[in-house]
């Protein structure tokens, strides 16, 4: 104590203020570090500095002098000196440079260093001290070796003890064999915290003679092995019975554990039992997940790496197997050695300042705090009225240079102590502003900003701040002035953008600070919580707003607290800052944060990625509670991967009754996901294995590993074959059959079927016949035809009979019905006949139904006579009607009536017809004899619609309608009625109706029609029973045509192709094309084409000279309607050289043309054969004859047979094809409608030209116009082959 006081007095005498001032003044401007906001100074460390400890000793155990090393190092100016104190007395000499204490071999004894040590580091400004440390001296531990031999039965529990020598540093225990390989530990075998090796239950495989306990002393650096323990495990018959769990460690129902804050703690539960128990943990008074506890060592340990106050509470372990459970509860009491909640800081101060040193310590129990100065308790230092101590706070008012010292604060409770050194250095320096002038500060609206005006000086300079207008800033309640001169402006706004001035009061020293306020950043769309399938990709958004005046912000994505590296195979950050996490795995489940950092602020948002996947397969399948026909299957569920298990699927594989190639797993049972066991019912005499599959919303896990085999004993069959029935096919034979039982339902050896039968008798007095067979079917002869029998089939094996079977009814074989139905009668109603009959007799089998045969013999007799007298029918229509009638007469209709009905209605008969009808019954063997024929006649009815409707237009205001009679007249035609109506924009005009009394007339001429309008025409046939449905068409008259005037010319070498677009409704108009060659200013004679039809659409002039100029004209009735001058392609013709016809190219060209013509002829013949030949012109001639139409007297457009002759301007593909014929129109024109009868015969003729878009127009008669052929371009081979046939 005298030494400490001396140093204190000596320090006070040497602390001359003037010398210190002169020493610090030249160096005071070197400091650039801003001062702390505690009223302290910060000056360069190159000046005087009190001692500060950098290395300090700790308590430990030594075994030799080599282990002695107590570090003690410190910095300071002047360089500190060191001294040690042991058990309160000085120990060793004073040390310089380094204070580390080491033993000297040969001079010191080990016992000399046993005790408590403290190091003192001192210089002229004060003394710092270390914490008191304890050195424990021990000798090297030794272990007495002894042999141990233990015996135990299979299934029992066992403990192998390990008792190493005691030490202040407990050893680490390792159980190994003689080869230094660790004994494998699992939930059944593990080493406890006490070092013993525990077996929950023994297996035969645990037998060995080299269980060795190795004690590793880390401090001593040695490992002590024991002799090998020999363990012999003997077989036992009690293994199958199992054992209820009990706890090997700890014992009793409850334990209390005391743990210190920050230290580790392990709660241990080691159970015994058979099968091996499963251990689970819970916090009885809270959530285990919210503590620091982690389950380790196969569930036997609950470990806390760093205990905190929140870990205090009640815990429980529960050991469970199929035979029961055992529990143990722990009370964890958490206390704490002293630790610092607030530490005082070493600082420099100016004279006259008030210094407050706060030293706040926490601990359980609450620690006491004491102060020392330079290592001397403050109670032993001279009293100072300027100094006061209140608990952990020391206050010095109006500090002087003599107050410079190192102050110690020490907190102590029953668990230890904590010590901290803090120096107080009092200096005097001239004032200076250290912060830079003109600094631009940027802040976000609503945030806080610090404007620095860091000053230096002792005493501390007085700082003032003013706005641009000279207003003191402290007048604003949002402004706070810190002790180092910095001001804090809270909740800044755009109005705060300005220039501010910081000055030292009383001195001409100032700086300016510029403040710019920006818009606050905002997160528009942050990352959401997403659930992602295992292996998929997750997307997290990060959309934000920042002030556009700022530079591009920095976007940082973090997983938890770890920054992500973008643009890798795992993570991608797009330009819009969206994060993509690819191929997510289970460890990707975490929180992800997006942080946006700007110059003025930063914002962040957090989302959660939860990776979900199908569960892992269950394991540890255990069979228990085994009975003859049942057992309990239990298992341990696998990892659920963030998606709860919804159910478990239990599958079984039976391997005794089939070859290995046919073994298959089949679903046996399902249990909800919260269960981990199931009661299973089994079949007798089977060999089973089981497996379990877990299911969650994402899918199914892999199946677990199969359980061990389980064999059930034999028993009598538990059931009989299903679907017992007769399958008799021949009369007089009874065939009994059934569905064979699966082999797993045999339940034993010697399996067969017992078949029983007897003829069905109402009194049930007949004796049962029986026989034994291995498999179905079973036949009984001489049983009669379709005789009823009672039949039964029973399962039998070597153990006995199955349950008594239920009798079924069957029949012997059937035969065809022997009698026809009787009492057949017919009632006719229009086109329907109602047939009635008596039930069939002597069916000789199961009646399946009846067959009604109906044949139409022809029309009613009246209709037939009148048809013969009917005049004026068109020849081809009359022939068509007779063919149709013959087909109906030859037609036969059969109606099948299923079941036991005795009446049926047959609809769809033709009216006004003669029919005959017969019936027969049928069964599975076939049809019985037919009944007698019954005749009936259907009544007359309304006719069908006329078969076709077409037109001709002789003039622009007249039109002739042609129609054909209905296909089904359903009686005697009386007359026709024609309706027509003009279409107008405002709707249809008045309906006109005409009646034709003579049914043999099939045309009518209508005059005074409007040539600019379309008309809707309807023709209705009528019998005595009424009107039939109409046939409806839309027509318009044809207009007088004129020669074309809008001509397009396609120029060739020797040809000119003139083409035009004919009017859609124009009647054909004939004209001539005149042309002549113009050469050398003179013209040759006019050449004139044959008559060209306006509906052709084109005409080809051939045989012209290449490179020549031609004059063209269109002439009709000596009037020129169009003219033009054009020139052919090619060189001007010259004199033909000799031998022209012998040129090779000419011969090749002619050959190619001949070959092409030959191919086209062949294709044409094939086409005509494929599609049929339609002699249109012959049909037209027939219709003209039948209708007495004066076609040859009319000259529409100068039409004649000659028009159909070939010319050089109308080339033909087929020899018998005519340009403008029906086929040409069908192929090239879009205004021709070709119709066919239902039987496929051609009935269509060409209508006048009209817009196709109008819809379903019928074809008109063959008009005397020539249809427009296509342009004279040779058709391609593909277009020819693709034409419709």
């Amino acid at each position: 104590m005298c030494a400490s006081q001396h140093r204190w007095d000596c320090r006070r005498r040497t602390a001359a203020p003037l010398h210190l001032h002169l020493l610090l003044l030249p160096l005071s401007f070197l400091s650039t570090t801003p001062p702390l906001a505690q009223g302290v100074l910060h000056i360069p460390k190159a000046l005087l500095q009190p001692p500060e400890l950098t290395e300090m000793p700790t308590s430990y155990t030594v075994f030799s002098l080599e282990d002695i090393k107590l570090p003690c190092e410190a910095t300071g100016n002047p360089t500190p000196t060191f001294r040690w104190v042991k058990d309160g007395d000085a120990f060793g000499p004073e040390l310089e440079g380094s204070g580390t204490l080491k033993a000297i071999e040969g001079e010191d004894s080990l016992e000399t260093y046993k005790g408590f040590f403290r190091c003192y580091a001192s210089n002229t400004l004060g003394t710092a001290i270390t914490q008191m440390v304890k050195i424990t001296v021990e000798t090297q531990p030794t272990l007495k070796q002894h042999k141990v031999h233990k015996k135990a039965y299979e299934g029992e529990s066992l403990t192998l003890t390990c008792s190493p020598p005691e030490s202040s540093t407990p050893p680490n225990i390792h159980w190994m064999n003689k080869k230094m390989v660790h004994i494998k530990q699992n939930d059944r075998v593990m080493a406890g915290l006490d070092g013993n090796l525990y077996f929950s239950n023994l297996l035969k495989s645990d037998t060995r003679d080299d269980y060795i306990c190795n004690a590793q002393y880390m401090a001593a650096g040695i490992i002590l092995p024991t002799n090998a323990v020999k363990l012999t495990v003997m077989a036992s018959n009690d293994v199958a019975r199992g054992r209820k769990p009990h706890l090997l460690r700890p014992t009793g129902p409850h334990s209390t554990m005391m743990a210190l804050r920050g230290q580790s703690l392990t709660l241990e539960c080691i159970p015994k039992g058979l099968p091996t128990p499963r251990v689970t943990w819970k916090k009885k008074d809270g959530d285990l997940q919210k503590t620091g506890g982690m389950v380790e060592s196969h569930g036997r340990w609950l470990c806390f790496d760093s205990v905190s106050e929140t870990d205090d509470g009640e815990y429980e372990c529960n050991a469970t197997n199929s035979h029961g459970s055992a529990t143990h509860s722990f009370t964890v009491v958490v206390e704490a050695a002293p630790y610092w909640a607030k530490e005082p800081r070493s600082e420099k101060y100016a004279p006259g300042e008030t210094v407050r040193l706060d030293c706040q310590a926490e601990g359980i129990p609450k620690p006491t705090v004491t102060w020392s100065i330079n290592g001397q308790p403050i109670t032993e230092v001279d009293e100072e009225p300027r100094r006061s101590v209140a608990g952990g706070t020391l206050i010095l008012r109006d500090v002087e240079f003599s107050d410079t010292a190192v102050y110690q604060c020490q907190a102590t409770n029953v668990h230890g102590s904590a010590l901290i050194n803090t120096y107080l250095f009092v200096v005097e320096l001239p004032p200076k502003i250290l912060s830079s002038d003109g600094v631009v500060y940027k802040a976000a609206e609503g945030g806080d900003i610090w404007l620095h005006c860091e000053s230096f000086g002792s005493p501390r300079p007085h700082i003032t701040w003013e706005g641009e207008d000279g207003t003191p800033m402290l007048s604003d309640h949002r402004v706070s002035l810190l002790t180092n001169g910095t001001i804090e402006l809270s909740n800044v706004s755009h109005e705060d953008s300005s220039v501010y001035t910081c000055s030292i009061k009383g001195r001409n020293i100032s700086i300016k600070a510029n403040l710019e306020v920006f818009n606050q950043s905002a997160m528009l769309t942050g990352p959401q919580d997403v659930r992602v399938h295992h292996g998929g990709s997750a997307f997290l958004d990060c959309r934000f707003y920042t002030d556009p005046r700022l530079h591009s912000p920095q976007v940082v994505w973090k997983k938890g607290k770890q920054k992500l590296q973008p643009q890798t195979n795992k993570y991608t950050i797009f330009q819009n800052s969206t994060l993509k996490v690819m191929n997510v795995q289970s460890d990707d489940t975490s929180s992800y944060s997006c942080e946006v950092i700007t110059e003025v602020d930063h914002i962040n948002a957090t989302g959660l990625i939860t990776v979900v996947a199908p569960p892992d397969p269950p394991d540890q399948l255990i069979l228990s509670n085994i009975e003859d026909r049942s057992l309990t299957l239990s298992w341990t569920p696998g990892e659920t991967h963030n998606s709860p298990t919804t159910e478990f699927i239990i599958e079984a594989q039976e391997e005794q009754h089939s070859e290995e190639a046919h073994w298959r797993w089949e679903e046996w049972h399902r249990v909800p996901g919260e269960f981990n066991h199931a009661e299973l019912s089994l079949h007798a005499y089977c060999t089973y294995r089981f497996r379990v599959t877990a299911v969650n919303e994402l899918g199914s896990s892999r199946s677990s590993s199969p359980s061990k085999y389980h064999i059930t004993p034999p028993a009598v069959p538990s059931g009989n074959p299903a679907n017992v029935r007769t399958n008799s096919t021949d009369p007089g034979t009874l065939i009994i059959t059934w569905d064979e039982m699966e082999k797993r339902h045999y339940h034993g050896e010697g399996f067969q079927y017992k078949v029983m039968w007897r003829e069905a008798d109402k009194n049930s007095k007949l004796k049962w016949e029986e026989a034994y067979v291995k498999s179905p079917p079973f036949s009984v002869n001489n049983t009669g035809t379709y005789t009823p029998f009672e039949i039964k089939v029973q399962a039998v094996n070597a153990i006995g009979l199955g349950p008594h079977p239920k009798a079924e009814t069957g029949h012997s074989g059937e035969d065809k019905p022997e009698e026809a139905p009787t009492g057949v009668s017919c009632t006719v109603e229009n086109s329907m006949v109602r047939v009635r009959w008596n039930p069939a007799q002597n069916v000789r089998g199961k009646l399946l139904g009846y067959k009604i045969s109906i044949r139409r013999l022809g029309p009613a007799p009246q209709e037939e006579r009148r048809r013969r007298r009917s005049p004026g029918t068109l020849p081809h229509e009359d022939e068509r009607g007779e063919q149709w009638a013959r087909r109906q007469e030859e037609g036969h209709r059969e109606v099948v009536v299923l079941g036991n009905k005795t009446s049926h209605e047959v609809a769809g008969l033709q009216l006004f017809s003669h029919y005959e009808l017969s019936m027969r019954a049928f069964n599975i063997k076939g049809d019985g004899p037919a009944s007698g024929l019954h005749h009936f006649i259907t009544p007359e009815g309304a006719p069908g619609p006329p078969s076709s409707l077409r037109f001709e237009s002789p003039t622009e205001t007249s039109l002739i309608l042609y129609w054909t009679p209905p296909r089904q007249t359903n009686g005697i035609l009386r007359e026709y009625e024609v309706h027509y109506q003009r279409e107008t924009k405002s709707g249809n005009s008045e309906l006109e109706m005409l009646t034709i009394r003579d049914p043999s007339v099939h045309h009518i001429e209508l005059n005074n029609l409007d040539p600019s309008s379309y008309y809707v025409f309807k023709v209705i046939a009528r019998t005595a029973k009424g009107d039939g449905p109409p046939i409806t068409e839309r027509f318009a008259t044809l207009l007088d045509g004129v020669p074309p005037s809008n001509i397009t010319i396609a120029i060739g070498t020797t040809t000119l192709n003139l083409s035009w677009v004919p009017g859609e409704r124009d009647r054909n108009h004939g004209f001539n094309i005149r042309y002549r060659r113009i050469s050398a200013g003179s013209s040759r004679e006019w050449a004139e084409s044959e008559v060209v039809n306006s509906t052709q659409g084109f005409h080809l002039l051939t045989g012209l000279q290449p490179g020549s100029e031609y004059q063209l004209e269109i002439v009709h009735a000596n009037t020129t309607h169009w003219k033009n001058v054009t020139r052919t392609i090619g060189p001007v013709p010259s004199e033909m050289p000799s031998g022209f016809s012998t040129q090779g190219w000419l011969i090749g060209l002619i050959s190619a043309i001949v070959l092409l013509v030959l191919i086209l002829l062949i294709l044409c013949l094939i086409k005509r054969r494929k599609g049929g030949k339609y002699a249109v012109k012959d049909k037209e001639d027939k219709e003209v004859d039948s209708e007495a139409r004066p076609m040859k007297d009319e000259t529409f457009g100068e039409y004649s047979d000659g028009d159909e002759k070939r010319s050089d301007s109308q080339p033909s593909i087929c020899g018998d094809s005519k340009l403008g014929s029906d086929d040409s129109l069908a192929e090239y024109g879009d205004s021709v409608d070709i119709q066919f009868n239902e039987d496929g015969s051609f009935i269509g003729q060409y209508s006048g030209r009209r817009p196709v878009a109008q819809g379903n127009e019928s074809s008109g008669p063959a008009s005397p116009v020539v249809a427009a052929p296509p342009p004279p371009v040779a058709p391609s081979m593909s277009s020819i082959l693709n034409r419709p046939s």
Side-chain angles (χ1 to χ4, degrees), residues 909-921:
L909 303 180
Q910 188 171 336
L911 294 172
F912 210 57
S913 299
H914 185 194
Y915 287 92
E916 67 178 12
L917 176 147
S918 66
M919 291 190 62
R920 54 171 57 86

Side-chain angles (χ1 to χ4, degrees), residues 21-288:
H21 176 79
L22 295 176
L23 177 65
L24 296 180
L25 185 58
L27 301 175
S28 62
F29 300 105
L30 299 178
S31 174
T32 58
T33 305
L36 298 174
Q38 292 183 345
V40 296
L41 296 175
H42 189 85
I43 61 177
K45 290 188 176 181
L47 306 181
L48 293 178
Q49 187 80 18
E52 283 187 281
L53 292 170
T54 56
E55 287 188 59
M56 290 172 281
T58 57
S59 299
Y60 69 107
T61 301
V62 298
F63 298 90
S64 66
L65 289 174
E66 295 178 355
D67 299 333
I68 302 297
K69 183 179 180 181
L70 296 175
C72 182
E73 304 292 342
T75 61
N77 190 14
T79 302
T81 59
F82 303 90
R83 63 185 178 90
W84 285 90
V85 172
K86 172 178 176 289
D87 298 329
D89 298 326
F91 185 84
E94 186 176 270
L95 303 175
E96 296 183 357
S98 173
T100 299
L101 180 65
K102 298 180 181 178
I104 301 176
E105 292 285 347
E107 296 184 7
D108 298 329
S109 65
L110 187 61
E111 287 295 326
T112 305
Y113 290 92
K114 182 178 181 181
F116 294 89
F117 287 80
R118 172 172 280 169
C119 175
Y120 292 77
S122 306
N123 69 7
T124 58
L125 299 182
T127 300
I129 65 174
T130 67
Q131 182 75 274
M132 188 81 72
V133 296
K134 180 181 180 182
I135 300 299
T136 303
V137 176
E138 289 186 5
T139 59
Q140 292 282 359
T142 57
L143 183 66
K144 294 182 179 180
Q145 299 181 347
H146 54 279
K147 296 183 179 180
V148 178
H149 184 195
K150 290 198 173 188
K151 296 182 180 180
Y153 286 100
E154 183 181 11
E156 293 181 342
S157 63
L158 180 69
T159 302
L160 300 183
T161 59
C162 181
S163 302
E166 292 184 359
S167 172
S168 59
T169 57
N172 297 328
I173 303 299
H174 304 275
W175 282 91
M176 310 172 81
N177 60 18
K178 59 188 176 183
K179 295 181 179 180
M180 298 301 289
V181 177
H182 282 84
I183 301 296
K184 184 177 180 180
Q185 298 189 26
N186 50 41
D187 58 346
R188 186 181 63 85
V189 181
M190 73 169 293
L193 294 175
D194 58 358
N196 297 334
L197 187 64
Y198 294 92
F199 294 82
S200 293
N201 52 78
L202 289 171
L203 302 178
K204 291 282 291 180
S205 59
D206 294 327
T207 297
R208 63 188 309 148
D209 58 0
D210 58 349
Y211 287 96
I212 303 174
C213 169
N214 295 274
Q216 181 185 19
Y217 292 87
M218 299 296 293
I222 59 172
I223 298 177
L224 299 178
T226 65
N227 278 349
V229 177
K230 182 177 181 181
L231 173 61
T232 302
V233 180
M234 299 173 289
S236 173
N237 295 327
D238 294 337
V239 175
R241 297 176 55 187
R243 290 175 172 83
K244 182 179 178 180
H246 293 281
L247 291 177
L248 293 170
R249 176 179 171 87
T251 60
H254 180 266
S255 299
T256 299
M257 308 287 289
M258 198 276 290
L260 292 181
R261 176 183 179 273
Q263 295 184 357
S264 62
L265 172 68
T266 300
L267 305 182
E268 181 179 54
C269 275
I270 301 179
K272 66 178 180 178
L274 184 67
T276 303
R278 178 169 176 257
V279 177
T280 58
W281 293 85
K282 71 176 181 179
K283 193 170 191 296
K284 298 171 67 176
D285 56 351
D287 186 357
L288 185 62

Side-chain angles (χ1 to χ4, degrees), residues 853-858 883-894 909-910 914-917:
S853 298
I854 298 178
R855 183 186 299 274
R856 182 176 183 272
L857 302 178
Q883 293 173 1
W884 176 77
R886 283 197 297 272
R887 286 198 301 271
Q888 291 298 316
E889 290 171 0
E890 295 170 358
H892 176 262
R893 183 175 177 186
E894 187 174 78
L909 303 180
Q910 188 171 336
H914 185 194
Y915 287 92
E916 67 178 12
L917 176 147

Side-chain angles (χ1 to χ4, degrees), residues 788-804:
F789 281 85
E790 286 185 293
I791 54 176
K792 295 189 293 186
V793 180
Q794 189 175 22
V796 182
N797 66 13
I799 304 297
L801 298 174
H804 188 73

